[in-house]
Amino acid sequence: MEEISNFTTPVPSPFSAYGFWHKGVVEMCLFVFSFLSGIPTHAYVIYLIVTGKGNGIASEIFILNLSVCEILFSVNSLFNALAETFQSLIIFTWFLIGEIITGHPMFQCLMCVERYLAVVHPVIFLKFKPLRYRVICCTAAWMIGFGSGLFCMFLLMSPNFYLYVWFYTVQFLIFLSTQLFCLLAVLRALKQSGPGERGREREEENHIKKRAFHLILIATVSMIIRYAPYIITGFFIVTLQDDESIQVLWSVSYVCFMLAGFVQPVLYLHRMGKLSCFCF
């Protein structure tokens, strides 16, 4: 374990190079790749949304906030790479960890709930469709993420890593349960046909339901890929003392977390026709 000035880090952090996860060539390459690839990709998505080249801020505000979360993750990767030289940065990386692990899945859940309401409760969806309600939801999500950042910062400074693992796990299960509920509800609605519907109207409605189902499915699968490896690694840390094995688990988990963050922006860019040169 490496000691940081004025206090000792007793436990590893998911994105930190301290504790069980010592900085090596692989880890430094992952940090650099995350920063160099994440910043331009997500900044481009934000640019397209803000400049109105997409479907407008009102309908894509959750994607915009997801991209902001991913930029924070890329910045966190940079700070982790610099933390060995500038050790005071480690506390800020812990704060960003809490913001990311809460904010990102929360915005994904908001997207899924919105699609669920559009398909299953269209009257409610149309009632709360204006931008101001989405801004309120995003503001609340950022405030909760800020609180989570402070909480994680104090948890990781304490000697009880077990609480941090449970905090991470409970959040994941809550968000996963919400998305699975939305997924099953939309799937059920997709299998049902309204009485007296014409063929063309039924086709259009089914198309909307299928898009909602695919969006929720992709968000759910990407969240599982992104968070499950870290939760499994966290429980291994609590029960095992093999530093070398845990270092490998951290590296694999970091790769899953980083790559899953590109799912939404790549799909968005493809939908906007910005990746037409690639075959999908």
Side-chain angles (χ1 to χ4, degrees):
M1 299 265 182
E2 293 189 32
E3 292 190 1
I4 302 178
S5 57
N6 298 329
F7 61 88
T8 303
T9 307
V11 294
S13 157
F15 310 128
S16 172
Y18 293 92
F20 292 102
W21 192 12
H22 301 288
K23 277 181 182 166
V25 176
V26 175
E27 287 75 19
M28 289 297 293
C29 289
L30 289 175
F31 289 146
V32 173
F33 176 80
S34 174
F35 177 75
L36 294 180
S37 60
I39 293 290
T41 302
H42 298 288
Y44 185 47
V45 171
I46 293 174
Y47 167 77
L48 291 177
I49 295 174
V50 172
T51 56
K53 298 183 183 297
N55 297 325
I57 294 180
S59 60
E60 296 171 346
I61 189 170
F62 295 140
I63 298 177
L64 187 148
N65 282 274
L66 275 173
S67 292
V68 173
C69 282
E70 291 300 334
I71 287 179
L72 290 179
F73 174 69
S74 298
V75 172
N76 190 57
S77 299
L78 175 64
F79 286 169
N80 270 308
L82 298 174
E84 188 171 325
T85 304
F86 306 98
Q87 296 182 351
S88 58
L89 291 175
I90 193 64
I91 298 179
F92 188 62
T93 64
W94 290 344
F95 172 79
L96 288 179
I97 289 168
E99 181 73 55
I100 295 164
I101 65 175
T102 300
H104 188 277
M106 190 173 297
F107 287 118
Q108 279 194 322
C109 273
L110 288 173
M111 290 174 58
C112 295
V113 171
E114 185 180 56
R115 293 298 93 201
Y116 159 76
L117 291 175
V119 172
V120 182
H121 303 288
V123 176
I124 298 177
F125 173 73
L126 292 174
K127 181 180 178 181
F128 293 98
K129 194 177 179 181
L131 177 61
R132 63 178 177 274
Y133 298 108
R134 295 175 182 176
V135 171
I136 291 173
C137 290
C138 291
T139 302
W142 281 112
M143 291 177 66
I144 294 172
F146 182 81
S148 174
L150 293 176
F151 187 62
C152 281
M153 187 174 66
F154 287 112
L155 275 182
L156 292 171
M157 290 173 64
S158 71
N160 196 344
F161 184 66
Y162 190 72
L163 281 177
Y164 175 78
V165 175
W166 274 111
F167 174 69
Y168 199 89
T169 304
V170 169
Q171 280 194 97
F172 170 75
L173 292 176
I174 291 174
F175 293 132
L176 179 62
S177 300
T178 303
Q179 292 186 195
L180 287 176
F181 170 79
C182 295
L183 183 69
L184 294 175
V186 172
L187 179 62
R188 181 183 177 186
L190 182 60
K191 291 183 176 181
Q192 296 174 345
S193 297
E197 288 181 336
R198 297 180 181 178
R200 190 171 183 180
E201 292 177 351
R202 186 181 303 173
E203 265 185 41
E204 291 178 358
E205 184 177 347
N206 285 340
H207 179 67
I208 294 173
K209 291 178 181 179
K210 285 180 181 179
R211 284 187 60 186
F213 176 77
H214 290 153
L215 185 148
I216 299 174
L217 179 62
I218 291 171
T220 303
V221 172
S222 66
M223 190 175 76
I224 292 173
I225 294 173
R226 186 165 202 178
Y227 291 91
Y230 268 125
I231 292 173
I232 294 171
T233 303
F235 281 109
F236 270 113
I237 289 174
V238 173
T239 56
L240 297 180
Q241 299 298 324
D242 187 355
D243 291 7
E244 185 175 348
S245 299
I246 291 173
Q247 180 181 352
V248 174
L249 287 174
W250 275 135
S251 299
V252 173
S253 300
Y254 187 90
V255 171
C256 293
F257 197 100
M258 177 180 60
L259 294 180
F262 288 99
V263 173
Q264 290 293 343
V266 167
L267 289 175
Y268 176 79
L269 293 174
H270 178 56
R271 191 169 71 248
M272 293 296 105
K274 303 300 181 180
L275 298 177
S276 57
C277 56
F278 296 95
C279 295
F280 282 82

